[in-house]
Amino acid sequence: MRLNALFYYADFFLSAALVMVLAVCMLMEVTAAIAAQWLAAASLGFAAWTLVEYFVHRVLYHSVPYFVELHDAHHAEPDAFIGAPPVIGIVLFFLLLHFPISVVSVNAAGGVTAGMLAGYMAYMLLHHAAHHWNVPAGTWLYRARHHHALHHHHSEEGNYGITTPFWDHVFGTALVPSRSGPRRRAA
């Protein structure tokens, strides 16, 4: 879906604000044990985000007809502000993660949700950078941008991870450049 600049950037700021709110809520009752549990849950949430991101991109955006059409629009115009309507992802994080986990532990729910939101922010920032920023060659961000560029310019499908190429290597969908063009890395 084509978005205006306000809607395109809305989740960047809303996610950051919600991560801060969740962290402040944890700090209101902080002990070393609570902080450690929250940080462990946030780390787990961030790691889980990378796997969710990979499967959403690989399965939903490349296999489910309605989402394929939307994703194809992004591939046709990679510099355009195309994406999901704002707030939908954030609402899903709270409905599918925060509220169910909070039945067991409000602290763990806050940490997992904050970690997922931080991962979502990393995804949005890296994806935006891959299409809109000029970055110095040889940097980590340049390699991330190159990884995503192979996803857009190849004969095979692959390189679904934006935040990390880790899952592409695990599931055998990593593309490597060659003189004859991108090819899939042997799993």
Side-chain angles (χ1 to χ4, degrees), residues 94-176:
F94 279 88
L95 289 176
L96 299 175
L97 292 169
H98 187 79
F99 297 132
I101 296 171
S102 67
V103 172
V104 177
S105 169
V106 173
N107 190 46
V112 168
T113 305
M116 289 287 280
L117 286 167
Y120 182 52
M121 287 186 326
Y123 156 76
M124 290 185 291
L125 184 61
L126 287 169
H127 191 252
H128 179 78
H131 291 290
H132 298 278
W133 295 359
N134 289 320
V135 296
T139 64
W140 172 82
L141 189 53
Y142 181 86
R143 289 187 298 278
R145 182 179 182 189
H146 187 273
H147 176 81
H148 186 62
L150 288 176
H151 172 75
H152 279 267
H153 308 285
H154 57 71
S155 58
E156 292 185 58
E157 290 193 1
N159 284 16
Y160 300 105
I162 306 295
T163 308
T164 177
F166 177 77
W167 298 112
D168 285 301
H169 293 285
V170 169
F171 295 113
T173 56
L175 299 170
V176 293

Side-chain angles (χ1 to χ4, degrees), residues 1-184:
M1 148 179 269
R2 188 174 298 278
L3 303 170
N4 64 31
L6 177 66
F7 282 0
Y8 178 80
Y9 290 109
D11 278 0
F12 284 80
F13 297 104
L14 289 172
S15 295
L18 287 169
V19 167
M20 288 189 287
V21 166
L22 291 166
V24 166
C25 287
M26 180 272 300
L27 289 172
M28 291 173 66
E29 300 180 24
V30 72
T31 65
I34 287 174
Q37 180 191 32
W38 194 90
L39 289 171
S43 298
L44 177 67
F46 190 93
W49 163 257
T50 65
L51 184 60
V52 168
E53 170 198 307
Y54 174 86
F55 277 112
V56 164
H57 192 181
R58 181 178 181 179
V59 177
L60 197 64
Y61 293 168
H62 285 268
S63 300
V64 177
Y66 173 74
F67 294 101
V68 168
E69 183 179 316
L70 293 175
H71 193 62
D72 284 349
H74 165 64
H75 277 258
E77 292 183 80
D79 292 336
F81 290 164
I82 295 174
V87 182
I88 288 178
I90 294 169
V91 168
L92 286 173
F93 290 143
F94 279 88
L95 289 176
L96 299 175
L97 292 169
H98 187 79
F99 297 132
I101 296 171
S102 67
V103 172
V104 177
S105 169
V106 173
N107 190 46
V112 168
T113 305
M116 289 287 280
L117 286 167
Y120 182 52
M121 287 186 326
Y123 156 76
M124 290 185 291
L125 184 61
L126 287 169
H127 191 252
H128 179 78
H131 291 290
H132 298 278
W133 295 359
N134 289 320
V135 296
T139 64
W140 172 82
L141 189 53
Y142 181 86
R143 289 187 298 278
R145 182 179 182 189
H146 187 273
H147 176 81
H148 186 62
L150 288 176
H151 172 75
H152 279 267
H153 308 285
H154 57 71
S155 58
E156 292 185 58
E157 290 193 1
N159 284 16
Y160 300 105
I162 306 295
T163 308
T164 177
F166 177 77
W167 298 112
D168 285 301
H169 293 285
V170 169
F171 295 113
T173 56
L175 299 170
V176 293
S178 70
R179 293 180 193 270
S180 61
R183 67 185 194 289
R184 188 175 309 278

